[in-house]
Amino acid sequence: MALAIVLPLVFTSCSDDDDDYASKEHDTSICSEWIENSSNRYIFDYYRFYKDGTGIHGSYESDIDWIDEDDDITWYTEDNKYLYIDGAKYEYWCDGSSLELTRNGKTKYYYEK
């Protein structure tokens, strides 16, 4: 009888939900193009977030209004407080026109393109 109780626990499989970004929470207020708000350079950090949990990360050159799309990303949000980009956890705040990303005590500010 003890085997009947223990065996189902041994053969319980893990879920693949962690890899399925489409089933995760996605705060649509960040679904846009974002450029780092910094006045001391001409190349800025760039993100583009899509509603399906995918996106693009790259750089933006303000002098020529050009975007260099370096990396495809996956993302999701948690509790409207945390943003996970390719597994990296950020605290975030977004009002639809401004985005703040904080990681390891460093905050970057973005404006909507």
Side-chain angles (χ1 to χ4, degrees), residues 88-91 101-107:
K89 183 179 181 180
Y90 298 82
E91 284 189 50
L101 298 179
T102 303
R103 184 161 190 234
N104 298 327
K106 184 177 178 185
T107 301

Side-chain angles (χ1 to χ4, degrees), residues 16-27:
D16 290 329
D17 289 347
D18 289 338
D19 297 329
D20 185 10
Y21 287 95
S23 69
K24 301 270 186 187
E25 175 185 318
H26 298 96
D27 180 357

Side-chain angles (χ1 to χ4, degrees), residues 86-110:
D86 288 339
K89 183 179 181 180
Y90 298 82
E91 284 189 50
Y92 84 101
W93 174 85
C94 184
D95 68 0
S97 63
S98 298
L99 173 67
E100 294 178 11
L101 298 179
T102 303
R103 184 161 190 234
N104 298 327
K106 184 177 178 185
T107 301
K108 286 188 174 184
Y109 302 93
Y110 297 81

Side-chain angles (χ1 to χ4, degrees), residues 62-76:
S62 60
D63 290 349
I64 56 176
D65 192 28
W66 184 71
I67 297 168
D68 183 15
E69 299 174 351
D70 295 331
D71 304 308
D72 291 329
I73 61 169
T74 54
W75 68 276
Y76 64 94

Side-chain angles (χ1 to χ4, degrees), residues 5-105:
I5 294 171
V6 173
L7 280 178
L9 297 175
V10 172
F11 292 106
T12 302
S13 65
C14 296
S15 172
D16 290 329
D17 289 347
D18 289 338
D19 297 329
D20 185 10
Y21 287 95
S23 69
K24 301 270 186 187
E25 175 185 318
H26 298 96
D27 180 357
T28 57
S29 70
I30 69 170
C31 293
S32 188
E33 292 181 278
W34 299 97
I35 298 171
E36 184 180 11
N37 192 6
S38 175
S39 61
N40 40 345
R41 344 175 234 189
Y42 66 92
I43 297 178
F44 303 92
D45 198 28
Y46 169 86
Y47 281 102
R48 173 66 168 118
F49 297 100
Y50 298 106
K51 292 180 183 180
D52 66 355
T54 63
I56 298 166
H57 179 244
S59 57
Y60 173 74
E61 293 187 42
S62 60
D63 290 349
I64 56 176
D65 192 28
W66 184 71
I67 297 168
D68 183 15
E69 299 174 351
D70 295 331
D71 304 308
D72 291 329
I73 61 169
T74 54
W75 68 276
Y76 64 94
T77 56
E78 187 176 271
D79 300 329
N80 288 324
K81 182 177 180 179
Y82 300 106
L83 171 63
Y84 293 84
I85 302 173
D86 288 339
K89 183 179 181 180
Y90 298 82
E91 284 189 50
Y92 84 101
W93 174 85
C94 184
D95 68 0
S97 63
S98 298
L99 173 67
E100 294 178 11
L101 298 179
T102 303
R103 184 161 190 234
N104 298 327

